[in-house]
Amino acid sequence: MIPLIMIYFIISLVSLCLSCRFQSKNYQYALALVFAIEEINKNPHLLPNMTLGFGLYNVMHSPMTVMENPFIWLAGLEKHVPNYTCRKQSKSVAVISESSTAVQMGTLLELYKIPQLTLGPFEPLLSDSGQFPSLYQMTPKDTSLTHGMVSLMLHFSWTWVGLAISDLPKGIQFMSDLKAEMQKNGICVDFVELIPATLESLSSLQNSAHIQIIKSSANVEILFCVTESLIGASFQSWEQLMTWKVWVTTSQWDFASSEKPFLLYSFHGTLIFSNHHSEISGFKNFLQTANPSKYPEDSYFSKLWSLAFNCSVTGASCKTLQNCPLNASLESLPPHYFDMSMSDGSYNIYNAVYAVAHSVHEMLLQELEMQPVNSGAKVAFSPWQLHPFLKNLQFTNPAGDLVNLNHKRNLEAEYDILNFWNFPYGYGRKVKVGWFSPYVSHGQQLSLSENLIEWATGITETPRSVCSVSCSPGFRKTPLEGKPACCFDCTLCPENEISNQTDMDQCVNCPDLQYANTERDQCFHKKVTFLSFEDPLGMTLVCTALCFSVLTVVFLGVFVKHRDTPIVKANNRCLSYILLIALIFCFLCSLLFIGHPNTTTCVLQQTTFGVVFTLAVSTVLAKTITVLLAFKVTVPGRRMRQWLLSGVPNSIIPICSLIQLALCGIWLGTSPPFIDTDAHSEHGHIILVCNKGSVTAFYCVLGYLGSLALASFTVAFLARNLPDKFNEAKFLTFSMLVFCSVWVTFLPVYQSTKGKVMVAVEVFSILCSSAGLLGCIFVPKCYIILFRPEKNALKGLRDRIVSKETDVLKCSS
């Protein structure tokens, strides 16, 4: 059986007395140490027949005194003698200290290979086993802290934040990691203020940080500090500069323990990231029953009690208390004075004690297996012997949490999200409102109970913190020159482009068969349309074409009925019949352009148009040549008389028509017209049109037709002044002038239009040019035939001829 022995280790408490003021919040560390040691001493399965003890020393922040108490502990004397100690009965085997003094103390402790366990925030520098081989950090890695804070900002859509960061290396590293994570998620920084760690630089902060934070348009500020920074002192200087903002911070700076109501009031609604740990069973009950009479040797406890409950202190050792309330207990103190909830530091001390106990337990078991110990022998070992066991130690504490001291396998921290409430006024407390875990699937790592969150004073709903108001669907973000990416203007998406989400950087085009609505946030399927008979424009053109066709038939009937009258006979009635029939087909061919297109109509549209108009224009050319030859044959014996009698002018019609047919045949054989769709001309519609196939062939047909019209116009113009009562050369000239004017105007208009309007323009040109021929050539003749029949006689013509012959004879004589 192992004999009963005492194993001591030191706990170094930082700032138990800061500027000669007792910091009651740090005393929970000492009570957590006592609780853990008492719990282990009562555990029959862990270090049986052994008792743990401890020593308590206060370490000051000052560089002049930070090593004073460690030297006293090592030497056991007020006068420090290196490599000598008068402590023969109670040598400590481990040290528990704050991270803030770990570097200074670690250098000293490394000389003796004494294990040092730190309870503060995780420091990457201290995990360097080459520089600090005897140091073990109890806090898990905090690399997920930046991810957790950014997840919180994304949850509330906070994209414009300010940063107040400790200017120590850990703070600078945190700022760098946070800004990188924020940039990846589209969150911008309004300002960065470094909190000084020395009194010398504190005054500069008070002049600059106040202005930045007050003038900042960000409603959310992230506050990150380490315990040795002067952030507490700097914030207390802001009493006249009330800034009601949402603060996001960590539990490393415990502003809730401040005795100034100003801080409690200003930080009401703060969201705090605190390392997650399970509740330690029995700790709260231990605090409820703890009092100085239970631990009379602890002078710190007596001082705490006297200050908290206004007790009088007597006795030489200042440990005797009088006039204390009968029901005095730590539980009755306000949370800002003493918090009954176990803090992160207390939890780490609790685990550190168990880590040392487990290491000693494993070391002793190993020694027993290798060499059984005599029942009367005393167990003795040196602190350095614990290192092989501490380096790979992994155990589950009584709360069920996994503790791992191997920094290479150290897990990332999980966080509880606490909300600080300052009510009743001056009685601050922290309420858990959510958690963050890096070990669950992405998108579920953050959990919040928003109904429990109390926001800063004056904020009644979830606050917003943005540089620019979000661009709603239908708009896109336009960056502002010289501003962060979160500052932008909102610009309406261009036509046929949409944005169906907020804050889109670019609008997206709708597919060809869809169109954007007026709000530019949805694409709808386009409606298939064409120039139909039911369409108002189509109906108008159809009625016009039919009316002119009927009118042309009427004119043809009038000419047939009065075929033996001089005005019909004098102008080659056969050519007149052909021209009228051609005009009927000209009017009717326009109907091919109206209605649902198909392959047949697409082919017939242009070929029919080209052939019938060639027939009409070539007939006009034949009529003009006939008029010109008729006046040239007045001189006997001329060859022109034979041409006129043999019908040469009439042969122009089939020749010109055959040439046009050949051109159309080549067109249809190489690249015929086909059905096509136009999805861009008319908003929200897909227009069915006939694609001409070969544009070159189309303009060749049109150009050939234009050359015939120009030739007709030229011949008619030359014959316009020939004397004859029934000479129609002037009418032919005007008809060709109208015809050419219509088609010259048609070309630029046709090129500048698309869709149904383009079709309508071509139909309109067909009707106008046909109506021009009909009106200029046949309306005057029908008017004479129907309303002025006296002019439709040969008498006037004979008198004019006789008068002309008499004048010729007189000139001859």
Side-chain angles (χ1 to χ4, degrees):
M1 178 178 293
I2 299 176
L4 178 65
I5 64 170
M6 293 287 290
I7 298 177
Y8 286 86
F9 54 93
I10 180 175
I11 178 170
S12 171
L13 294 183
V14 177
S15 300
L16 200 60
C17 178
L18 179 60
S19 302
C20 300
R21 280 186 55 207
F22 189 80
Q23 297 294 308
S24 59
K25 71 182 182 69
N26 282 355
Y27 193 72
Q28 192 191 86
Y29 295 170
L31 294 177
L33 173 72
V34 174
F35 172 73
I37 289 177
E38 290 184 356
E39 197 174 60
I40 293 172
N41 288 338
K42 294 176 184 178
N43 189 344
H45 305 291
L46 185 61
L47 295 178
N49 299 323
M50 286 191 174
T51 302
L52 295 181
F54 69 94
L56 183 64
Y57 291 84
N58 185 37
V59 179
M60 303 298 294
H61 273 294
S62 171
M64 300 296 294
T65 59
V66 67
M67 301 301 294
E68 181 178 354
N69 281 335
F71 268 116
I72 294 175
W73 160 67
L74 284 172
L77 297 171
E78 292 294 332
K79 295 182 179 180
H80 317 315
V81 181
N83 297 324
Y84 174 81
T85 177
C86 63
R87 295 182 184 273
K88 298 181 179 179
Q89 303 297 326
S90 58
K91 292 184 179 180
S92 300
V93 297
V95 173
I96 302 176
S97 68
E98 272 274 13
S99 299
S100 56
T101 58
V103 175
Q104 297 92 328
M105 289 183 61
T107 304
L108 175 64
L109 297 176
E110 184 58 34
L111 297 175
Y112 302 93
K113 304 298 181 182
I114 298 175
Q116 181 183 10
L117 294 87
T118 62
L119 58 95
F122 185 85
E123 287 281 357
L125 175 65
L126 299 180
S127 63
D128 183 0
S129 58
Q131 188 175 0
F132 301 101
S134 301
L135 190 144
Y136 306 92
Q137 300 192 70
M138 301 307 302
T139 307
K141 293 179 180 178
D142 57 2
T143 51
S144 62
L145 177 60
T146 56
H147 189 194
M149 287 189 170
V150 169
S151 297
L152 179 70
M153 287 181 264
L154 293 175
H155 177 82
F156 290 111
S157 299
W158 294 335
T159 58
W160 188 239
V161 299
L163 302 181
I165 309 293
S166 172
D167 65 355
L168 292 172
K170 182 173 178 61
I172 301 300
Q173 182 61 47
F174 170 81
M175 179 181 66
S176 176
D177 295 341
L178 180 63
K179 291 175 74 174
E181 188 70 22
M182 291 168 62
Q183 186 175 9
K184 285 194 301 183
N185 290 274
I187 301 172
C188 302
V189 177
D190 183 18
F191 70 90
V192 175
E193 184 57 49
L194 297 179
I195 306 299
T198 61
L199 288 170
E200 290 77 8
S201 56
L202 178 60
S203 58
S204 62
L205 167 80
Q206 296 175 0
N207 295 329
S208 61
H210 297 168
I211 298 175
Q212 284 202 79
I213 294 180
I214 292 172
K215 289 187 175 181
S216 169
S217 59
N219 294 322
V220 176
E221 317 287 348
I222 294 178
L223 179 62
F224 181 83
C225 66
V226 290
T227 53
E228 65 265 38
S229 67
L230 296 175
I231 192 167
S234 61
F235 267 84
Q236 290 178 9
S237 66
W238 295 4
E239 189 163 355
Q240 304 301 323
L241 304 169
M242 309 296 287
T243 55
W244 308 125
K245 296 180 181 291
V246 177
W247 294 92
V248 179
T249 185
T250 64
S251 58
Q252 296 175 22
W253 178 53
D254 191 10
F255 62 86
S257 62
S258 172
E259 297 179 5
K260 286 198 171 185
F262 162 74
L263 280 182
L264 301 180
Y265 189 48
S266 297
F267 287 96
H268 171 72
T270 296
L271 296 172
I272 306 168
F273 278 77
S274 176
N275 284 357
H276 170 75
H277 54 77
S278 301
E279 185 178 355
I280 303 297
S281 175
F283 182 68
K284 189 172 184 180
N285 183 64
F286 169 78
L287 294 180
Q288 291 171 342
T289 59
N291 57 67
S293 62
K294 190 175 179 180
Y295 304 100
E297 73 284 355
D298 190 348
S299 61
Y300 285 119
F301 205 177
S302 298
K303 186 174 182 179
L304 167 66
W305 210 264
S306 65
L307 293 175
F309 301 106
N310 296 320
C311 304
S312 58
V313 182
T314 60
S317 61
C318 296
K319 295 181 181 179
T320 305
L321 300 175
Q322 294 180 348
N323 302 323
C324 294
L326 296 178
N327 59 346
S329 69
L330 294 176
E331 188 178 22
S332 62
L333 297 176
H336 70 267
Y337 196 88
F338 190 91
D339 196 348
M340 295 291 289
S341 301
M342 179 174 273
S343 66
D344 291 346
S346 297
Y347 180 76
N348 291 333
I349 290 175
Y350 180 83
N351 286 335
V353 175
Y354 266 92
V356 173
H358 278 286
S359 298
V360 174
H361 187 84
E362 290 184 15
M363 183 188 67
L364 295 177
L365 288 178
Q366 189 181 83
E367 288 185 359
L368 285 174
E369 292 176 359
M370 295 175 62
Q371 183 178 359
V373 181
N374 296 328
S375 58
K378 184 178 180 180
V379 178
F381 59 89
S382 299
W384 60 266
Q385 292 179 272
L386 293 179
H387 287 304
F389 303 95
L390 286 171
K391 287 183 184 298
N392 299 304
L393 183 63
Q394 181 173 302
F395 66 94
T396 302
N397 66 10
D401 293 339
L402 181 66
V403 181
N404 187 355
L405 267 65
N406 189 336
H407 71 275
K408 294 182 179 179
R409 294 183 298 171
N410 196 358
L411 301 175
E412 293 186 4
E414 296 180 282
Y415 294 95
D416 291 331
I417 301 176
L418 310 178
N419 187 213
F420 179 70
W421 295 358
N422 183 38
F423 55 83
Y425 182 77
Y427 193 85
R429 58 174 176 158
K430 302 171 186 175
V431 178
K432 182 178 178 180
V433 296
W435 52 263
F436 175 82
S437 174
Y439 301 109
V440 298
S441 60
H442 187 73
Q444 298 179 343
Q445 296 176 328
L446 180 72
S447 176
L448 282 175
S449 300
E450 294 188 40
N451 58 313
L452 296 179
I453 298 178
E454 289 288 332
W455 298 110
T457 305
I459 300 177
T460 57
E461 58 184 13
T462 303
R464 301 184 62 192
S465 186
V466 295
C467 180
S468 300
V469 179
S470 296
C471 294
S472 58
F475 292 82
R476 65 175 178 87
K477 296 193 297 185
T478 303
L480 297 176
E481 187 176 357
K483 296 286 186 179
C486 300
C487 303
F488 49 82
D489 284 333
C490 295
T491 305
L492 184 66
C493 288
E495 187 176 354
N496 211 43
E497 293 186 15
I498 66 163
S499 62
N500 54 7
Q501 297 177 2
T502 57
D503 289 339
M504 288 190 65
D505 294 322
Q506 297 293 334
C507 301
V508 294
N509 283 306
C510 287
D512 286 341
L513 300 182
Q514 296 181 3
Y515 70 98
N517 59 353
T518 54
E519 290 78 17
R520 305 287 204 277
D521 59 359
Q522 280 185 302
C523 290
F524 295 110
H525 286 283
K526 293 181 177 180
K527 181 182 178 181
V528 178
T529 185
F530 48 87
L531 185 61
S532 65
F533 293 102
E534 293 79 15
D535 188 277
L537 179 59
M539 189 177 297
T540 301
L541 294 175
V542 169
C543 293
T544 303
L546 292 177
C547 290
F548 276 114
S549 299
V550 172
L551 182 61
T552 308
V553 171
V554 171
F555 284 1
L556 179 59
V558 171
F559 267 59
V560 172
K561 183 179 180 180
H562 300 84
R563 59 185 176 277
D564 295 324
T565 58
I567 199 169
V568 174
K569 293 172 66 177
N571 293 285
N572 197 330
R573 59 187 174 191
C574 183
L575 292 179
S576 297
Y577 296 158
I578 295 175
L579 180 57
L580 285 171
I581 293 172
L583 288 176
I584 293 174
F585 284 106
C586 286
F587 287 121
L588 293 179
C589 80
S590 63
L591 301 180
L592 294 172
F593 293 83
I594 305 173
H596 193 294
N598 55 60
T599 304
T600 303
T601 56
C602 286
V603 171
L604 290 177
Q605 279 179 8
Q606 305 302 333
T607 55
T608 304
F609 157 72
V611 172
V612 297
F613 265 82
T614 300
L615 178 63
V617 174
S618 61
T619 303
V620 173
L621 178 60
K623 287 177 71 66
T624 53
I625 292 177
T626 301
V627 172
L628 188 62
L629 292 177
F631 280 92
K632 295 296 183 179
V633 300
T634 53
V635 180
R638 285 206 173 182
R639 189 180 301 175
M640 292 183 183
R641 180 180 181 88
Q642 297 176 1
W643 291 355
L644 184 61
L645 293 177
S646 62
V648 171
N650 294 345
S651 62
I652 293 175
I653 299 173
I655 294 173
C656 294
S657 299
L658 287 174
I659 294 174
Q660 187 68 287
L661 280 173
L663 290 175
C664 290
I666 296 172
W667 182 3
L668 296 180
T670 54
S671 180
F674 58 90
I675 301 175
D676 198 3
T677 57
D678 182 0
H680 306 287
S681 299
E682 191 171 335
H683 182 71
H685 292 84
I686 298 176
I687 303 173
L688 294 180
V689 294
C690 287
N691 191 305
K692 292 177 175 54
S694 174
V695 178
T696 303
F698 169 72
Y699 283 111
C700 286
V701 169
L702 204 61
Y704 175 70
L705 187 60
S707 62
L708 289 180
L710 185 61
S712 300
F713 173 76
T714 303
V715 175
F717 182 79
L718 294 175
R720 71 188 187 282
N721 292 323
L722 295 177
D724 187 14
K725 181 178 181 181
F726 303 113
N727 182 10
E728 61 177 354
K730 291 183 179 180
F731 300 139
L732 295 175
T733 302
F734 282 117
S735 68
M736 285 296 99
L737 181 63
V738 172
F739 185 90
C740 292
S741 300
V742 169
W743 289 105
V744 168
T745 307
F746 161 79
L747 290 175
V749 176
Y750 183 80
Q751 291 293 334
S752 61
T753 57
K754 291 184 180 299
K756 291 193 294 184
V757 178
M758 181 178 67
V759 178
V761 166
E762 189 169 0
V763 173
F764 182 77
S765 299
I766 291 173
L767 295 178
C768 285
S769 57
S770 302
L773 294 177
L774 180 66
C776 293
I777 298 175
F778 295 101
V779 169
K781 295 178 180 178
C782 289
Y783 175 77
I784 293 174
I785 293 172
L786 297 176
F787 302 105
R788 302 293 297 273
E790 69 277 4
K791 290 187 175 183
N792 190 12
L794 292 174
K795 181 180 179 182
L797 178 61
R798 289 196 186 98
D799 293 341
R800 188 176 303 174
I801 294 173
V802 170
S803 174
K804 183 178 179 180
E805 291 178 351
T806 304
D807 293 337
V808 171
L809 290 173
K810 288 181 179 179
C811 291
S812 299
S813 61

